[in-house]
Structures are given as structure tokens and as C-alpha cells.
């Protein structure tokens, strides 16, 4: 007997967590590739930190757009409400990280690095199986 994805909330949350890991790893890999391709843009004192900051400024929004196809590919259903809710959670986490940046820079970086690992599984749990208030079924 084949079980529907709606009956397996644990698999949905783990798959959403994988998306939360894949997207930031891809963003860091992209910044690393840019640093290798354009070594002249790396400064003497700051290194290639500028490339990572620039990748973050643009790449986080690209990652939000790429989340829906990745969620769909990993069979997180319904994919688009999870992606939309996770985007809202991500923005809230980023705003929180900016608020604590002056008080605790380590907390800022921790929140930024873990934001998608927090947001995508939480969104999958909130929207996931048995939650018909956001899905069409």
C-alpha cells in the first residue's frame, strides 16, 4: 500500500529542513565561486568579505524564489504555501537578527545562518498534513 505524503508529517518536515540547508549552502558556494573568479575584488584587510555581503544582499531573495521549486522537487506538499509562509518567517528572523546585531554580533550571524533551517521546517509543520486551512484539500 502506498501512503500519501499527507500522512507523513515527519518526512515533510525533514524535506523542508533539507531545503533550509541546501539554500544557504548554495549561497555560500556561490560567493566562494565569485571570490575564485574575481580575486581582484578581495581586499588586503577585509579579504573577500565584501563578496559574501554582496551575495547575501541579493542571494537571500533569489533563495526565497528558488524555494518553491526545491520544495516541490522534494515532495513537500503543499509546496507554495510552505514557501510563502517560510518567506514571511525568514523576513521576521532577519529583522530580529538586525535588531540584535549591535548587542551581540555572534547572535546576528547565528540567526542569519540558521534562519532557513528554522523557517522551512516550521512552515512545513504549520501548513503540512492535516492543516486544511491553507491548503486546497
Amino acid at each position: 500500500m502506498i501512503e500519501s505524503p499527507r500522512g507523513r508529517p515527519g518526512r515533510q518536515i525533514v524535506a523542508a529542513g533539507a531545503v533550509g540547508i541546501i539554500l544557504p549552502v548554495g549561497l555560500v558556494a556561490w560567493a566562494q565561486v565569485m571570490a575564485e573568479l574575481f580575486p581582484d575584488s578581495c581586499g588586503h584587510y577585509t579579504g573577500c568579505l565584501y563578496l559574501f555581503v554582496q551575495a547575501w544582499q541579493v542571494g537571500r531573495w533569489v533563495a526565497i524564489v528558488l524555494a518553491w521549486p526545491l520544495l516541490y522537487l522534494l515532495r513537500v506538499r503543499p509546496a507554495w504555501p510552505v514557501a510563502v509562509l517560510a518567506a514571511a518567517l525568514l523576513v521576521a528572523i532577519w529583522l530580529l537578527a538586525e535588531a540584535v546585531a549591535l548587542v551581540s554580533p555572534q547572535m546576528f550571524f547565528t540567526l542569519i545562518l540558521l534562519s532557513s533551517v528554522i523557517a522551512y521546517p516550521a512552515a512545513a509543520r504549520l501548513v503540512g498534513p492535516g492543516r486544511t486551512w491553507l491548503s486546497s484539500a
Side-chain angles (χ1 to χ4, degrees), residues 2 11 16-17 19 24 34-35 39 44 51 57 65-66 73-74 85 92 94 96 100-101 112 124 132 137:
I2 298 175
R11 196 205 72 71
V19 171
M34 296 308 287
H44 179 67
L51 290 174
Q57 292 297 326
V65 172
L66 292 177
L73 181 70
L74 292 177
L85 182 59
W94 295 337
L96 176 65
V100 300
I112 293 299
T132 57

Side-chain angles (χ1 to χ4, degrees), residues 94-108:
W94 295 337
L95 290 174
L96 176 65
E98 289 176 7
V100 300
L102 294 176
V103 177
S104 173
Q106 289 123 355
M107 182 61 115
F108 169 77

Side-chain angles (χ1 to χ4, degrees), residues 18-30:
V19 171
I21 293 169
I22 290 169
L23 291 173
V25 166
L27 187 62
V28 170
W30 175 257

Side-chain angles (χ1 to χ4, degrees), residues 2-77:
I2 298 175
E3 191 175 334
S4 77
R6 290 201 174 274
R8 301 181 61 193
R11 196 205 72 71
Q12 300 276 328
I13 294 169
V14 169
V19 171
I21 293 169
I22 290 169
L23 291 173
V25 166
L27 187 62
V28 170
W30 175 257
Q32 184 65 34
V33 166
M34 296 308 287
E36 295 293 326
L37 290 176
F38 303 107
D40 294 337
S41 62
C42 297
H44 179 67
Y45 295 106
T46 60
C48 297
L49 183 62
Y50 174 73
L51 290 174
F52 285 98
V53 170
Q54 189 177 22
W56 166 252
Q57 292 297 326
V58 176
R60 63 182 170 168
W61 303 109
V62 172
I64 284 178
V65 172
L66 292 177
W68 177 82
L70 195 52
L71 286 165
Y72 190 79
L73 181 70
L74 292 177
R75 297 185 181 183
V76 175
R77 301 294 189 266

